[in-house]
Amino acid sequence: MQAAGFRRARRPRQTRMARLKRELSWPRPGGVAISLAGAALVVTGVLALPSEADSLLPFGAAAPAISQSPTTPDTAVAPASPPLPTGPGTTPLAASQQDAEAPFLLSGAGNSLSPLPEVTATPLIAGSAAGSPLQELFASRTAPPMEKALWDINSPARPLVLVNKRHSLLPQRYVPTDLVVPRVLTGSAEHPLLRSEAAAAAERMFAAAAREGINITIKSSYRSYDTQVSVYNGYVAAKGVAAADSTSARPGFSEHQTGFAMDIGDANAGTACDFASCFASTNAAQWVAVYGARYGFVVRYLPGEESVTGYLAEPWHLRYLGVSVAQDMKVRGIHSYEKYAGLPAAPDYK
Ligand SMILES: [Zn+2]
């Protein structure tokens, strides 16, 4: 999507273009020089995070956790979370051991006592392909520390959950437990609900856009399984199954059911382009395409990715993936979450 062409630009065009170019070339957080083979570099990478903490926080994590965890790759997570199974022969360190090891690693001494090895051997993100960009992001430590239990693309409760026509929610009638009403403009009669961290991110994003005179609205957000039954059946009745499947998910296969997805509108543009391809030309669509990743959102269904995502382009459908993943996808120029997670295309229900 083109970054230029805001119709309501309040600043000189050259200035805005320069800003957009800067945003689009935003360097990968944490730097690319981080090496798993070098303990000192890993620690350097982790310690370098706080300066950009606000833009790097994934999934609404609290900032202090980043600066207080200059630990090893396997231990740079909240110790309270249940650890994922580790590779054979590895022994998770107790919290006290982690703290004790950190100064040792900072000294740069590399010997057999270092608890660094296993990181690249075991896929970090359950369900994601080994060697995928998603795995690389977390293995490289450019992603800030967070609960390891969140690193799972199979569970509908996790922010990294992948939902498509070959990857349904399990259980299919899953209901999130922490839905809240985001304090943002609404653009429909639907009562907006999002998972709490996605709601907080949406509030920050909508406020930032509003400061530039762009008034984003929520048209649709969390939808229950039963609501999706009605939505999908409505499309089928109106257009038939094939057309319905290109624009609406079947119940149990919708990102909206996770509470991490929302459809947006543009209050200044009227409703003529709501849920229509011309929405791509609105200021709201162009703004979120450029800046959404800063707040953890990606435009989930992009043009050119139809055979991968299984859906026609939807410039209004945003998916919350967390700041580090959303920004990494943008920096790498990967336009579908399927490719980013290293999973097969999902053009149909099979
Ligand atoms: Zn949607």
Side-chain angles (χ1 to χ4, degrees):
M1 225 166 289
Q2 294 302 308
F6 289 133
R7 294 190 308 233
R8 296 173 186 274
R10 296 184 306 169
R11 301 177 187 180
R13 182 177 181 81
Q14 199 167 7
T15 303
R16 176 174 286 279
M17 284 303 295
R19 279 182 59 207
L20 290 172
K21 282 177 181 171
R22 278 202 308 277
E23 297 306 326
L24 289 168
S25 62
W26 195 339
R28 247 176 103 186
V32 295
I34 297 169
S35 162
L36 289 174
L41 285 178
V42 169
V43 173
T44 300
V46 172
L47 291 176
L49 288 170
S51 62
E52 298 178 79
D54 188 50
S55 62
L56 290 168
L57 288 178
F59 320 129
I66 295 174
S67 57
Q68 292 171 3
S69 301
T71 51
T72 68
D74 263 345
T75 60
V77 293
S81 64
L84 290 178
T86 52
T90 60
T91 304
L93 294 172
S96 58
Q97 290 175 286
Q98 296 168 21
D99 293 339
E101 290 293 340
F104 169 75
L105 291 171
L106 279 168
S107 73
N111 62 33
S112 60
L113 293 177
S114 169
L116 282 174
E118 296 294 328
V119 174
T120 54
T122 307
L124 292 170
I125 314 297
S128 171
S132 68
L134 178 61
Q135 301 280 7
E136 282 180 15
L137 173 69
F138 286 91
S140 71
R141 314 310 308 156
T142 53
M146 51 184 283
E147 286 188 55
K148 253 188 180 175
L150 296 177
W151 299 2
D152 182 348
I153 70 171
N154 295 317
S155 168
R158 307 304 186 201
L160 296 181
V161 64
L162 181 128
V163 184
N164 63 31
K165 292 176 179 178
R166 305 274 174 98
H167 212 260
S168 75
L169 286 84
L170 288 176
Q172 289 204 342
R173 287 183 171 273
Y174 164 76
V175 179
T177 57
D178 64 343
L179 293 169
V180 299
V181 179
R183 292 164 294 182
V184 299
L185 286 177
T186 55
S188 74
E190 183 180 306
H191 186 60
L193 287 172
L194 289 171
R195 289 284 304 277
S196 57
E197 65 189 77
E203 289 171 359
R204 290 192 291 271
M205 181 171 73
F206 282 39
R211 287 194 289 274
E212 303 210 21
I214 296 166
N215 296 304
I216 305 172
T217 62
I218 285 191
K219 307 294 291 190
S220 183
S221 47
Y222 167 72
R223 293 199 293 263
S224 70
Y225 180 95
D226 289 337
T227 300
Q228 195 66 24
V229 169
S230 302
V231 170
Y232 178 75
N233 287 346
Y235 277 102
V236 171
K239 309 197 290 188
V241 171
D245 281 342
S246 71
T247 54
S248 178
R250 295 180 184 179
F253 293 82
S254 173
E255 286 196 325
H256 285 277
Q257 197 179 325
T258 67
F260 290 125
M262 63 179 168
D263 300 322
I264 62 167
D266 185 326
N268 303 116
T271 58
C273 287
D274 285 353
F275 301 99
S277 57
C278 60
F279 187 72
S281 66
T282 64
N283 289 341
Q286 294 184 8
W287 192 92
V288 298
V290 175
Y291 297 116
R294 275 191 184 187
Y295 305 91
F297 289 94
V298 299
V299 180
R300 179 70 171 88
Y301 308 119
L302 287 170
E305 299 293 320
E306 294 85 350
S307 64
V308 176
T309 65
Y311 292 100
L312 299 174
E314 294 190 358
W316 59 86
H317 178 105
L318 304 184
R319 165 65 197 274
Y320 181 76
L321 286 169
V323 173
S324 55
V325 169
Q327 292 201 142
D328 194 46
M329 282 181 67
K330 191 171 187 62
V331 168
R332 292 177 190 250
I334 297 175
H335 295 146
S336 74
Y337 189 41
E338 285 79 7
K339 289 177 181 172
Y340 188 73
L343 294 187
D348 53 39
Y349 290 98
K350 240 178 195 172

